[in-house]
Amino acid sequence: MALLEVKDLHVSFNTDDGAVRAARGVSFSVDRGQTLGIVGESGSGKSVSTQSIVGLARGGSVTGEAIFDGRDLLTMHRDELQKVRGAQIAMIFQDPLSSLHPFYRVDWQICEMIRAHEPRTDAKAARARAIDLLKLVGIPQAERRVDDFPHQFSGGMRQRAMIAMAMALNPALLIADEPTTALDVTVQAQVLRVIERLQNEFGTAVILITHDLGVVAEIADDVVVMYAGAVVETADRDELFYRNHHPYTEGLLRSLPAYGGERARLIPITGQPPSLIKLPTGCKFHPRCPYAFDRCRAEEPPLALVYGSSSHRSSCWLPHTVEGRESTRAQLLGGRTVG
Amino acid sequence: MTIPSAIESHTELAIEPGVAAERAIEGRSTWQLAWMRLRKDKAAVVSFVVIVLIVLMAIFAPVVASLTGHGVDQQFRTTGLNGFGQPVGPNGTFLLGTDDLGRDILVRIAYGARISLLVGVVATLIMVAIGTVLGLMAGYLGGIVDSIIARLIDLVLSLPFLLFAISLVSVTHPGLAVVIIVIAVFNWAAVARIVRGQVLSIREKEYIEAARSLGAGPLRIMFVDVLPNVLTQLIVYATLLIPVTIVLEATLSFLGLGIPPPTADWGQMIAESEGVYQQAWWFLVFPGLALLVTTLSFNILGDGVRDALDPRLERR
Amino acid sequence: MARFLLRRIAQGIVVMILVTILVFLIFFGSGSQIDVARRLAGRNASQQTIASITHRLHLNESLPAQYWHFVVQLVWHHNLGYSYYHTQPVSTIIGHAIPITLSLAIGAAVIWLVLGVLSGVTAAVRRGSVMDRVFTGLALFFYSLPTFVLGLLLLFLVYFQLAKRGIRIFPGQGYTGITSNPLKWLESMILPWFTLALVSAATYMRLTRGSLLEVLGEDYIRTARAKGLPERRVIFRHGLRSSLTPVVSQLGIDLGTLVGGAIVTETVFGMPGLGYTAVTSITNQDLPVIIGIVIVASGSVVVANILVDIFYAVLDPRVRLH
Amino acid sequence: MSGDVIVRATDVVKHFPVQSSSLRRGREVVHAVDTVSLEVRRGETVGLVGETGCGKSTLARCLARLLDLTSGRVEFDGHDITKLKPRDLGKVRREMQMIFQDPYGSLNPKRRVGSIIGDPFAVHNVASGQDRRRQVQELMELVGLNPEHYNRFPAEFSGGQRQRIGVARALALKPKVVICDEPVSALDVSIQAQVLNLLADLQQHLNLTYIFIAHDLSVVRHVSDRVMLMYLGKIVEGGPSEEVYQRARHPYSNALLSAIPLPDPRAAQERPRIVLVGDVPSPIDPPRACRFHPRCPKAQGRCVEEEPVLEPRLGDPTTHVAACHFPVAEGEDLTMARPTLSEEERIVEPTMVATPGESGEKELP
């Protein structure tokens, strides 16, 4: 059984200009100890979906199911959900500087986490655990640095401190929301290694939200691709990178500069992502899709199994077999080259 | 321009549906959007109407006087005072009653509005003008200019306003111009500090660097690039400064440091009511109400303008 | 820290020097020698007094020289001047007035802090609720109400109307020292305290609400919630802690200003604190007293500003002190 | 493709005073750029790569004389522009333009697009009225914007379109050199490619020279003819792109290359992962000699004593230079390397954060 199974999640926010439909029928699941990568551009609903599951997307109306360890998080009482947060589902965020409280020492912030869920831990023991945690994430001279304020840490150290805090109660699930976006590549590599190591050590499941396909390729087991508030494709990593079905996934991969290849012209996805207030009809990607045909404009495709795989789903009207997709694709382009 | 414009066909882009969806705000400036939002704010609309009425009352104060037939300084010792020489309450002749000298309070309130609004608006404009120019210079030019202006701001903010007003008035003779100047000279610093703070953050924006990289000089950058970005804040602040200024003027007059009698002035009327209002409540209540309604209206409108111009900004 | 303090105190001294120059220019720089002497001597001063003032203050010398003597008196002799009207040193007069002003200011500050911060927090936490609207509306009302109007209205409604019906809880005007009769002191302070406090409470409510709302949108509040902390703790330990900084700054500056006299409130209630003394000194043309009060008041604002900066640095560890 | 030298920098040094204390001001400085020399030839694209705080943006601003140099010399189109006063910089300002990173921050939100793109005309007093409008609209068309949107505000455009506005503004005065400061790093991947293609097209049509700053090595590799890798204010390696990317000599270059997340799971699994220890040290007090030694997997005693010069290593062509005493040979496995320096010598812990601004510290208001 999956550790977390999200089914048909809808999130919308009311604004002066109309309802923003941030998530529309999002479904995905994570198994124990696995890493799920959620990829999407800004505004695709990846952060909103995960934050609303744990009750952090305030002011939005949320429907659907989020079964965590057999219980639905969305119908759970506020106080119970509060006990799950931090203890069983921990989170880290994009900007570690603004995510740590500037007025409290790192020690205080980690101990607070421990004692909020294990009130009987005495101060000394909590502090010792905080130091151990900092050592675990590779902070040098943890005994001394534990008394620092967050602003005295470097960017990479802050994110490690966030990870240390998140792992304090050995959660079953870690939601990492763009954890390395604000960091330099060498520091990003360090932080990803730390997450990987802890995951192996503690068997934590990880949901890694990112816009960077490279990061996903490095550490995800399964991948969910989101566009305009909905899941457009989901598959295990290799399947997604080498046998993708949805034209958006294909477009994302093709628009990246090839590493090590020829300095060829890039093939971008045309146009701009849609506004979440006024979505296009039918398939939300059709205005930017090179293969769009009449049905795409009229009807939104369901997230259906493709290529005969038991886990690879795509929300696209192109035929669901490899050959069928390729030939239709070629037909639709009608001699035009993509881009 | 000799650049071939054939490139366009190569570059994938154009005005795609994504943007079409954003048409909701197409072509509308900040001001138009703000105006739309402001119109939806009932409290702000009501207070705007009230302010317009007060302005009309001030402009047409002589009309009020002629309608009632009571001059502003005219003392009605027989009709306006009772047998014991005390003011009479609201009645058919004196709608809002009379003061201790038998003058019509309604007419005096109408004339008092002139002073309040005049001082409120003029002093605010002077404060905003001084504060903006100095704040812009300090914030954008930095260095020694900033040091000097920042110290000056510190100094002025350290001066207890009322005491200095008392000092100045004690060596000069009070009057309209003195009141306006005293208020402006001791209160521009708050504006300057706000503008300076804003400019300091705007200065770090990339579009300022972009302007510098194009070769724009400091004057052009200050007035073309920086000023429009402080303008919304300034307008909000000015709207909220007007009631503050009106209260300052009334306070000075109340303390006997403002416009000398017999000129009708709300603060002074309230001061004159002291010792009499136990018997003649209208003498205290109506001028007080006029003052309150005016400042309240400006404050509500100011809050409304702030929310309309920048919905995210909810400060002070 | 020591270096920061020194620098900050040096800045304060510069401001004080500028204040004394300003005061000097206002009172000594305008008008002729005789005018100045007459002004300082007060009404009906004898020719002899004027001559002695001219001599004592070196009014026959150049302005810079006069200023030098003025400062020397102030700094070395702690001499704020002499009131010919009261025939007392100004410092004695100020010494009598300060306790009154202090008890007014401190009592009012306690009231407005409690009222303002509590209602501000409630309004921010329940943003958009009926409670929020009521508090915001009340705050706007009192914020718009000039102090003297509020004071007179309170006197009229709470004192005179009750007194007419034979109920005398509060004395109207005047002041009783706390040492002579503590109960009477308390009674005489209640109306002035609320007059001063209600207007300020409105400002503090708006300040607290705005600042807390801003803080509640910060990323670290999301972190606190993600940690599974109870909402109360999120708001008070994580939110309020950071949003109090502007409130504390404002409090320092307000108290600093108030020490120089709650002019309007003291005048309305006839309490002989520094502010009221300054106002009556105008009527009495007792300029030396005004000069003294202005300098004391400016000094207290400067000191308050330094204290606020120190406090700020204590509250926010990110502030670097040099 | 490349012709004569259009920008030449010689031993450029840029120090910033640490802005925090008025008493200590002038004593502590941030060594943002330290004795950097480079040449940019007409028509080529030179990529400047490095992590936050390595000095790449500062260097570019020194080249454009948006900053005064602490020492060194910059020549533009054959003229020494190091000492020119602001009012004499007109030619430089016209012929060297910038494209900025933040498509939101680089356009004045209160001005209409037409006026933003027309700003260069207004500043330099060329073309006015209808003529200016026509030219601006031509520019809009050139970068793929609808000229009818002349009177719109930046807020009405998406990120990618805003970046096009920035490009149009930079091209208005037909510059020779365009400095692109992370022009695509704030954009979503699907939009990045659009802008990169646009820049490539414009370069071809207008014979532009690009100085391209980025932290994304794949992007830089894609656009650049030559790349310069920077670390803590110094160039550590430079040369023709393919040469550098395929035979990186400096351990830092290798680490950086191995840290790029590859959107290709198999390739990602296969390549060696060099995870550097620690963070970038403070530029206020940079490490002695080779600035990379505290984090370097190959560091030895010599690295602490003697600063390596930028020169061809291991028989590389003269165009490919690296500043390292122990350059990495082809096929060498850096993940196995163990430094001979002791723990004390390898102070991996940054005593202070890289740049004062990002640490979140603040002055009293």
Side-chain angles (χ1 to χ4, degrees), chain B residues 63-244:
Chain B
V63 178
V64 176
S66 66
L67 280 180
T68 55
H70 303 145
V72 60
D73 295 327
Q74 222 175 335
Q75 302 180 1
F76 299 92
R77 290 177 184 280
T78 46
T79 48
L81 294 174
N82 65 14
F84 306 101
Q86 283 173 332
V88 297
N91 60 34
T93 330
F94 299 98
L95 292 178
L96 299 183
T98 59
D99 67 7
D100 55 341
L101 296 178
R103 294 174 294 193
D104 188 333
I105 289 183
L106 175 65
V107 177
R108 290 188 69 75
I109 284 179
Y111 273 90
R114 298 181 145 197
I115 302 284
S116 283
L117 292 176
L118 189 70
V119 174
V121 172
V122 174
T124 299
L125 285 181
I126 297 176
M127 282 173 337
V128 168
I130 301 177
T132 305
V133 170
L134 290 184
L136 266 179
M137 283 169 60
Y140 187 73
L141 298 176
I144 185 99
V145 177
D146 183 34
S147 300
I148 293 173
I149 295 175
R151 283 288 86 79
L152 200 62
I153 293 174
D154 280 353
L155 171 68
V156 175
L157 286 176
S158 303
L159 302 177
F161 165 71
L162 274 180
L163 281 174
F164 268 87
I166 288 174
S167 316
L168 271 181
V169 171
S170 67
V171 294
T172 53
H173 298 287
L176 188 62
V178 174
V179 168
I180 291 177
I181 290 168
V182 166
I183 291 177
V185 163
F186 287 107
N187 290 287
W188 58 268
V191 184
R193 192 167 64 164
I194 285 176
V195 173
R196 176 175 174 271
Q198 286 272 307
V199 175
L200 281 179
S201 79
I202 290 172
R203 195 173 66 164
E204 301 302 315
K205 291 268 160 55
E206 268 186 355
Y207 59 83
I208 298 300
E209 195 180 10
R212 287 206 301 126
S213 79
L214 293 174
L219 265 181
R220 182 179 164 86
I221 294 179
M222 271 197 277
F223 288 95
V224 176
D225 287 303
V226 179
L227 189 59
N229 285 287
V230 252
L231 209 57
T232 47
Q233 279 264 321
L234 267 181
I235 287 173
V236 171
Y237 200 64
T239 322
L240 291 169
L241 259 184
I242 291 176
V244 172

Side-chain angles (χ1 to χ4, degrees), chain C residues 145-181:
Chain C
L145 198 60
T147 316
F148 61 95
V149 176
L150 177 64
L152 290 175
L153 281 179
L154 280 181
L155 264 182
F156 177 64
L157 294 173
V158 182
Y159 172 66
F160 290 112
Q161 293 301 316
L162 288 181
K164 256 204 303 207
R165 287 164 182 78
I167 309 166
R168 289 187 172 276
I169 314 177
F170 312 108
Q173 294 177 313
Y175 173 81
T176 315
I178 185 168
T179 42
S180 62
N181 186 340

Side-chain angles (χ1 to χ4, degrees), chain A residues 19-56:
Chain A
V20 175
R21 303 181 62 194
R24 300 176 296 112
V26 173
S27 302
F28 58 82
S29 70
V30 205
D31 291 332
R32 283 181 193 280
Q34 294 285 297
T35 302
L36 174 72
I38 302 185
V39 194
E41 299 178 282
S42 43
S44 61
K46 51 193 194 302
S47 294
V48 170
S49 298
T50 44
Q51 292 193 7
S52 55
I53 295 168
V54 288
L56 288 183

Side-chain angles (χ1 to χ4, degrees), chain C residues 42-293:
Chain C
R43 250 179 308 205
N44 312 326
S46 65
Q47 216 46 44
Q48 201 183 350
T49 320
I50 291 175
S52 95
I53 289 175
T54 312
H55 172 73
R56 236 163 48 85
L57 299 178
H58 306 265
L59 292 183
N60 45 4
E61 294 176 30
S62 71
L63 271 182
Q66 288 181 41
Y67 174 71
W68 174 247
H69 292 296
F70 175 70
V71 169
V72 166
Q73 282 296 314
L74 212 59
V75 176
W76 268 270
H77 305 284
H78 306 290
N79 185 354
L80 285 169
Y82 186 83
S83 163
Y84 297 91
Y85 179 84
H86 289 285
T87 59
Q88 264 179 337
V90 171
S91 48
T92 314
I93 297 171
I94 289 179
H96 284 305
I98 275 186
I100 301 170
T101 297
L102 273 185
S103 52
L104 180 59
I106 292 169
V110 171
I111 299 173
W112 86 55
L113 267 183
V114 172
L115 288 181
V117 173
L118 281 187
S119 59
V121 170
T122 317
V125 171
R126 312 207 171 163
R127 184 184 189 175
S129 69
V130 179
M131 201 98 103
D132 180 19
R133 280 163 204 220
V134 170
F135 282 141
T136 312
L138 275 178
L140 206 57
F141 176 82
F142 282 110
Y143 180 74
S144 305
L145 198 60
T147 316
F148 61 95
V149 176
L150 177 64
L152 290 175
L153 281 179
L154 280 181
L155 264 182
F156 177 64
L157 294 173
V158 182
Y159 172 66
F160 290 112
Q161 293 301 316
L162 288 181
K164 256 204 303 207
R165 287 164 182 78
I167 309 166
R168 289 187 172 276
I169 314 177
F170 312 108
Q173 294 177 313
Y175 173 81
T176 315
I178 185 168
T179 42
S180 62
N181 186 340
L183 197 68
K184 271 212 154 140
W185 171 79
L186 196 66
E187 283 176 354
S188 70
M189 292 306 291
I190 284 179
L191 285 185
W193 275 344
F194 273 91
T195 303
L196 200 52
L198 283 177
V199 174
S200 296
T203 312
Y204 281 71
M205 184 268 166
R206 285 160 69 94
L207 194 65
T208 310
R209 179 176 180 273
S211 154
L212 186 55
L213 277 179
E214 197 166 285
V215 169
L216 288 181
E218 295 279 352
D219 285 352
Y220 56 78
I221 297 297
R222 182 179 60 186
T223 306
R225 292 203 174 108
K227 282 162 93 174
L229 302 178
E231 193 61 19
R232 277 176 75 88
R233 192 175 170 90
V234 172
I235 285 166
F236 286 95
R237 288 306 286 271
H238 291 251
L240 196 58
R241 167 79 201 267
S242 357
S243 58
L244 277 183
T245 342
V247 176
V248 170
S249 309
Q250 185 69 37
L251 180 69
I253 291 158
D254 282 351
L255 277 181
T257 315
L258 272 187
V259 170
I263 298 175
V264 173
T265 313
E266 289 173 11
T267 308
V268 168
F269 290 94
M271 303 174 72
L274 282 179
Y276 187 50
T277 310
V279 173
T280 47
S281 300
I282 295 193
T283 336
N284 301 337
Q285 295 213 344
D286 192 4
L287 292 204
V289 173
I290 299 184
I291 297 177
I293 292 178

Side-chain angles (χ1 to χ4, degrees), chain A residues 185-196:
Chain A
V185 272
T186 60
V187 181
Q188 164 171 288
Q190 294 170 357
V191 168
L192 291 178
R193 289 301 90 78
V194 168
I195 294 178
E196 255 182 343

Side-chain angles (χ1 to χ4, degrees), chain A residues 141 145 186 218 242 269, chain D residues 51 188 190 194 264 271 349:
Chain A
Q141 296 175 281
R145 300 305 297 249
T186 60
E218 300 236 342
Y242 302 120
I269 303 176
Chain D
E51 298 180 283
D188 276 323
S190 74
Q194 294 179 8
D264 180 342
R271 66 167 170 177
E349 177 195 10

